Amino acid sequence: MPIVVSGIRSTGNLHLGNYFGAVKNFIKMQEDHQTFFFIADFHSLTTHPTPSDLHTNVKQVLAEYLACGIDPEKSTIFIQSDVPEILELYLLLNMNAYLGELERTTSFKDKARQQPENVNAGLLTYPVLMAADILIHKANLVPVGKDQEQNLEMARTFARRFNRMYNVETFPIPQAYIFEGKDMVKIPGLDGSGKMGKSEGNAISLAESPASIRKKVMRAVTDAGPTEMHQTKPEVIQNLFTLMEVVSAPDVVSHFDNAYIDCSIRYGDMKKQLAEDIINFTNPIRARIEEIAKDNAYLSKVAKNGAEKARESASKTLEEVRKIIGFRRFY
Ligand code: TRP
């Protein structure tokens, strides 16, 4: 069975774009793959979160993924900082990661530009830690978004380099699993910018209150409206329809579609309907998030089991790697 590893940065608050993109696919993958999903709290240290933010965010992400249907019985869900084996592999891989290639990474250059006052070594070696996350479980597949492709390519480089250096086949070369076509519904932002994203500031999160959803949807960008029958929709309008297609009933979508075609559409009405349908869609998820986030006993059980399963897999790989490199214990 193929082994899948994926990490989630612990910044909290999944949005509708995450839900219809990565999360839905993770949930499908856990049925027929051996899946490891983890919360990348070590990675989040590159931006120096406060201790209480760090903890709250990890808890929120854990509750959100569980609420969406990541099933701890089917996949190993764990918190990165519970698995110290990852850090040892990170150190070992660092010895064969070169300054030049790390400096050339796009995500490093972007971050260095975004936070010039804090260009720390953790940022530089971010791809090495990510490679350790992946290689420690000998992953075959890594579901990632487009922005992570280069980091994954580096993980492949480090895997090949290790295998070649010691003339072994320890690490499978992890392949990107990119969701596309019918598996990937790209959810647009409400500002007409194309893609819903947390950093774009145009996202509706799964935990968002109804009042805030209404406010955001009512503020969505539109145009002056169609003036001719059968006009093609400009992007900002198509975006509203795309959102509607994922949360509303088909007859609701066709009602507004027809209204667009014969120029009788009123965007105010459409937005009101869209807001209510988003609320109906997210309500049960939000309730589950809140319920799970309150259940400390459950969260602690999930995290503990996950850590145990992840450490079992990780320590096997690490033992093998230590031996290959030449570490022998004297006791
Ligand atoms: N870098 C990923 C992101 O920002 C998160 C991540 C960390 C990850 N380690 C990983 C993803 C390992 C896949 C595999 O989204």
Side-chain angles (χ1 to χ4, degrees), residues 36 48 62 117 121 159 182 215 228 261 265 293 310:
F36 292 89
H48 299 174
L62 183 57
E117 73 300 339
K182 65 168 174 42
K215 205 158 93 193
E228 284 164 42
I261 289 171
I265 191 161

Side-chain angles (χ1 to χ4, degrees), residues 5-9 38 40 43 126 130 133-134 142-144 148 151:
V5 169
S6 198
I8 302 128
R9 252 173 303 179
F38 69 95
H43 278 103
Y126 186 110
M130 183 160 156
D133 292 329
I134 296 166
V142 183
V144 283
Q148 295 296 315
N151 284 339

Side-chain angles (χ1 to χ4, degrees), residues 62-316:
L62 183 57
E64 289 183 354
Y65 273 87
L66 292 167
C68 288
I70 293 199
D71 182 348
E73 303 289 321
K74 293 179 182 153
S75 62
T76 301
I77 172 159
F78 67 100
I79 296 162
Q80 189 184 31
S81 62
D82 283 339
V83 184
E85 289 79 5
I86 295 169
L87 296 185
E88 189 169 334
L89 184 60
Y90 166 60
L91 178 133
L92 299 173
L93 293 174
N94 264 322
M95 305 304 166
N96 299 313
Y98 295 98
L99 185 58
E101 63 189 342
L102 296 173
E103 279 175 335
R104 278 193 301 275
T105 314
T106 327
S107 56
F108 173 68
K109 288 194 284 188
D110 286 349
K111 279 282 177 197
R113 223 175 296 123
Q114 282 164 22
Q115 47 181 74
E117 73 300 339
N118 180 19
V119 186
N120 58 61
L123 270 183
L124 184 70
T125 57
Y126 186 110
V128 189
L129 181 54
M130 183 160 156
D133 292 329
I134 296 166
L135 302 180
I136 197 84
H137 301 296
K138 300 194 177 192
N140 307 103
L141 284 178
V142 183
V144 283
K146 272 237 168 296
D147 63 324
Q148 295 296 315
E149 266 181 287
Q150 191 184 27
N151 284 339
L152 182 60
E153 188 53 48
M154 298 193 66
R156 296 147 63 86
T157 301
F158 300 143
R160 276 194 216 100
R161 200 172 277 164
F162 182 93
N163 288 349
R164 196 174 333 109
M165 182 161 180
Y166 294 103
N167 197 21
V168 291
E169 286 175 32
T170 302
F171 297 121
I173 308 305
Q175 305 298 318
Y177 186 90
I178 302 197
F179 307 123
E180 53 196 353
K182 65 168 174 42
D183 288 337
M184 186 65 182
V185 184
K186 195 171 132 200
I187 302 298
L190 290 169
D191 53 357
S193 72
K195 187 174 174 243
M196 185 175 281
K198 195 176 177 203
S199 42
E200 284 82 356
N202 60 11
I204 293 181
S205 80
L206 296 176
E208 194 125 5
S209 72
S212 167
I213 293 176
R214 285 192 192 100
K215 205 158 93 193
K216 285 190 177 172
V217 173
M218 294 317 285
R219 272 204 314 246
V221 179
T222 50
D223 63 4
T227 49
E228 284 164 42
M229 301 280 279
H230 296 282
Q231 220 167 289
T232 38
K233 302 182 185 102
E235 197 184 348
V236 286
I237 304 306
Q238 183 52 52
N239 285 351
L240 290 182
F241 275 93
T242 304
L243 267 172
M244 205 170 225
E245 272 158 30
V246 295
V247 294
S248 303
D251 60 317
V252 172
V253 182
S254 54
H255 166 77
F256 287 101
D257 222 9
N258 291 332
Y260 191 87
I261 289 171
D262 69 16
C263 303
S264 67
I265 191 161
R266 290 176 23 191
Y267 291 140
D269 293 346
M270 178 174 179
K271 287 181 184 177
K272 250 186 228 147
Q273 178 75 44
L274 178 59
E276 294 317 305
D277 289 344
I278 292 176
I279 291 165
N280 279 336
F281 181 82
T282 54
N283 252 344
I285 305 177
R286 186 162 42 90
R288 235 174 311 150
I289 295 172
E290 283 167 14
E291 195 183 312
I292 293 174
K294 272 197 305 228
D295 193 346
N296 287 327
Y298 176 65
L299 288 174
S300 114
K301 196 179 95 192
V302 168
K304 185 158 177 280
N305 282 343
E308 274 166 16
K309 282 197 278 174
R311 290 195 71 181
E312 196 183 307
S313 152
S315 57
K316 253 193 239 148

